[in-house]
Amino acid sequence: MVDYQMLKESLEMFQLDGDSWKAVADEFKREIDLAEAGGSSSLKILPAFLSPPSGNEKGNYTAIDFGGSNLRVMQVQLLGLGLYRIAKQISRPLQDPQGRYDFTGPHISGSEIFGWIADMVGEVLMGSSTDGLGFTFSFPMQQLSIDSARLLSWTKELKPSGTVGQDPSLMLGDALKSKGIKLKPSAIINDTVAVFLTGSYCDASVCAGSICGTGFNTCILEYKQWEHPMIVNTEAGNYSRLPLNIYDKVLDAESENPGQQIMEKMVSGKYLGELLRIALKDLGERGAWGDYDSSLPIWNQPFALKTEVMDWLQKNDPQAGLLTAGWMAEMGIPVRGENQQLFSILGKAIVQRAIMLISASYCSVLQRTPLRYGPRQLIAVDGALFKHWPGFLSEIEKILKRELPDRSVSLRYTQDGSSVGAAIAAALAG
Ligand code: BGC
């Protein structure tokens, strides 16, 4: 029922051999250097106006984490000595599973989104006091100071109107004011910066922060241009010097931002499921998969295959097996071992390529970071791929250890990093 020769050809399109891996790493380094020198590059050097924390910052702060899929608002107690506690939190998806609201749609305006965020801040603050508000805003922005920025573009398929070129911190401040909440952000930061801050609050060897969740990005520590070491956002998801296969090209063309966020479209949670859907559809249409039925909605609706399904397919446990079977039945795909295997093998190849690409980018980052505290180098990471995908973190770490034998490299999964970092930023802002 499956043409294994044709499947093999599709799998090969996702393979990255040693030379290509090295070329990606070398080019990534060149692009950062170019961005640093002010040249034209697909990467950026966006200063966060923050240096690493000491770990002794203290106080009770309100933290907002606005990413591509969820909004979280929490009260964080910074206790000093690298310790913190989440005292209270609310988390809601941008798209309600019951269909009561949807902030991801094309007709959403900036004021609706910021109004929603302000309402949640009000809910969390009810009955509690705060020493300040930190705002993690996980989209490309040029910061003008620690508490102000200019939104450069939206990513992760979001496009609220009337917002590009505006200051997200100001828009939130206005929304809070209109709801009678006497608070405005004292810091606005990217989520990679937040992860960096959380990681380095606990360990001074952190030299980069990275997210692989709905989107992908990495921030690094820069020493050259500033008096103190500066955390800078590279917008690594936009890295574009990459070999694209036919599936990548289809995905890019159908996306909200063709030609942009090329690396993100090859490695992050928003897109991996969609790549699998496109590859399966191609195999089906070329007659390589007997059970393919072109009339099923899943084959006609972009993003209908969520990355979490790929995650179930990898796991060898009965619960994941049930979830996969239930999902296939719901989609109208015959629940047969061969179909599950086809989805699983292709999914694995897609994720393996993501692992290779991310490790190449990290390798460049680590190589250009001076060793300040002996050979130890840590990358603080957060995001659903690191959290849920079996072996994602450890495989990347293994490659880095092999490629950089002269240092002691590790990835530190930083639970809640993108939220807690906003509290640390607010504390640093004073
Ligand atoms: C955004 C980054 C963000 C990353 C991870 C990307 O789409 O451009 O600013 O850090 O997603 O959330």
Side-chain angles (χ1 to χ4, degrees):
M1 293 297 251
V2 171
D3 182 325
Y4 284 96
Q5 182 52 37
M6 283 168 102
L7 170 60
K8 191 167 158 257
E9 285 160 18
S10 286
L11 292 173
E12 278 166 7
M13 289 195 228
F14 290 103
Q15 267 162 22
L16 205 71
D17 62 23
D19 288 345
S20 320
W21 183 91
K22 199 170 172 318
V24 171
D26 291 347
E27 279 297 325
F28 192 91
K29 183 170 176 303
R30 252 194 295 279
E31 289 275 288
I32 302 192
D33 292 343
L34 253 178
E36 189 187 40
S40 153
S41 165
S42 60
L43 296 175
K44 291 197 158 55
I45 293 285
L46 299 168
F49 293 89
L50 283 167
S51 293
S54 67
N56 277 322
E57 295 73 11
K58 288 190 186 136
N60 296 319
Y61 293 91
T62 309
I64 303 172
D65 179 7
F66 181 72
S69 305
N70 294 295
L71 167 63
R72 293 175 86 190
V73 182
M74 53 173 70
Q75 287 289 90
V76 182
Q77 293 178 337
L78 300 178
L79 304 166
L81 298 172
L83 300 170
Y84 58 83
R85 191 179 149 255
I86 297 171
K88 192 172 174 187
Q89 66 166 311
I90 306 181
S91 176
R92 293 202 181 115
L94 266 67
Q95 192 175 31
D96 181 40
Q98 264 93 51
R100 286 167 300 190
Y101 64 85
D102 182 3
F103 289 102
T104 63
H107 308 301
I108 288 296
S109 70
S111 50
E112 282 169 285
I113 291 212
F114 287 99
W116 182 54
I117 302 177
D119 282 335
M120 258 169 74
V121 172
E123 256 183 81
V124 165
L125 278 177
M126 217 173 296
S128 24
S129 65
T130 184
D131 294 326
L133 175 66
F135 182 19
T136 298
F137 183 74
S138 312
F139 298 91
M141 56 182 170
Q142 173 82 56
Q143 288 199 228
L144 310 169
S145 66
I146 188 166
D147 65 349
S148 67
R150 194 168 60 84
L151 175 59
L152 299 175
S153 57
W154 287 94
T155 53
K156 301 177 264 202
E157 306 302 300
L158 295 182
K159 254 194 177 162
S161 59
T163 44
V164 172
Q166 307 289 319
D167 181 349
S169 178
L170 205 63
M171 286 188 277
L172 177 62
D174 288 348
L176 287 164
K177 197 167 166 202
S178 74
K179 311 235 171 226
I181 301 166
K182 290 194 186 70
L183 195 62
K184 57 180 187 169
S186 45
I188 179 164
I189 53 172
N190 182 260
D191 52 354
T192 57
V193 176
V195 162
F196 186 116
L197 293 175
T198 312
S200 61
Y201 188 71
C202 313
D203 191 321
S205 305
V206 170
C207 63
S210 188
I211 301 276
C212 193
T214 309
F216 171 74
N217 188 15
T218 303
C219 74
I220 58 177
L221 206 50
E222 274 284 298
Y223 294 91
K224 285 193 199 150
Q225 300 173 28
W226 292 277
E227 199 182 320
H228 301 290
M230 172 75 91
I231 307 173
V232 299
N233 170 10
T234 66
E235 284 297 329
N238 195 47
Y239 177 56
S240 64
R241 297 191 169 273
L242 292 166
L244 302 193
N245 65 32
I246 49 166
Y247 305 133
D248 298 313
K249 289 180 187 159
V250 170
L251 185 147
D252 183 47
E254 83 186 6
S255 71
E256 285 285 351
N257 50 0
Q260 289 168 35
Q261 299 297 107
I262 297 297
M263 171 112 171
E264 176 161 277
K265 289 172 184 163
M266 295 165 93
V267 305
S268 82
K270 179 74 198 175
Y271 300 99
L272 295 180
E274 177 60 3
L275 274 179
L276 176 60
R277 195 190 70 86
I278 293 171
L280 286 166
K281 181 174 168 165
D282 170 65
L283 283 172
E285 280 176 355
R286 291 192 295 129
W289 175 29
D291 273 349
Y292 176 72
D293 173 357
S294 64
S295 70
L296 294 179
I298 178 172
W299 308 124
N300 299 297
Q301 194 187 328
F303 299 99
L305 200 164
K306 303 274 180 253
T307 302
E308 67 176 346
V309 174
M310 291 166 77
D311 183 34
W312 302 334
L313 283 158
Q314 294 317 298
K315 290 186 177 141
N316 242 345
D317 63 72
Q319 206 208 342
L322 279 177
L323 285 169
T324 314
W327 175 81
M328 286 180 119
E330 195 187 320
M331 295 293 125
I333 301 163
V335 185
R336 298 197 312 112
E338 196 180 36
N339 290 341
Q340 278 176 326
Q341 207 187 2
L342 169 68
F343 278 51
S344 165
I345 293 175
L346 253 178
K348 218 178 228 164
I350 291 171
V351 175
Q352 189 55 36
R353 184 183 66 166
I355 287 173
M356 298 294 280
L357 293 175
I358 292 176
S359 63
S361 73
Y362 286 177
C363 188
S364 334
V365 163
L366 293 171
Q367 273 175 325
R368 69 190 295 292
T369 308
L371 292 173
R372 302 216 129 197
Y373 303 100
R376 267 183 102 226
Q377 284 188 313
L378 290 187
I379 302 183
V381 297
D382 193 7
L385 270 293
F386 287 116
K387 187 169 183 182
H388 298 299
W389 191 271
F392 197 80
L393 186 151
S394 59
E395 287 252 343
I396 294 177
E397 201 175 63
K398 205 157 52 182
I399 298 172
L400 293 173
K401 283 186 192 298
R402 190 185 63 216
E403 295 296 323
L404 301 167
D406 58 323
R407 49 195 86 192
S408 159
V409 172
S410 40
L411 303 192
R412 163 82 50 93
Y413 178 68
T414 310
Q415 175 91 21
D416 304 313
S418 32
S419 318
V420 172
I424 300 171
L428 289 171

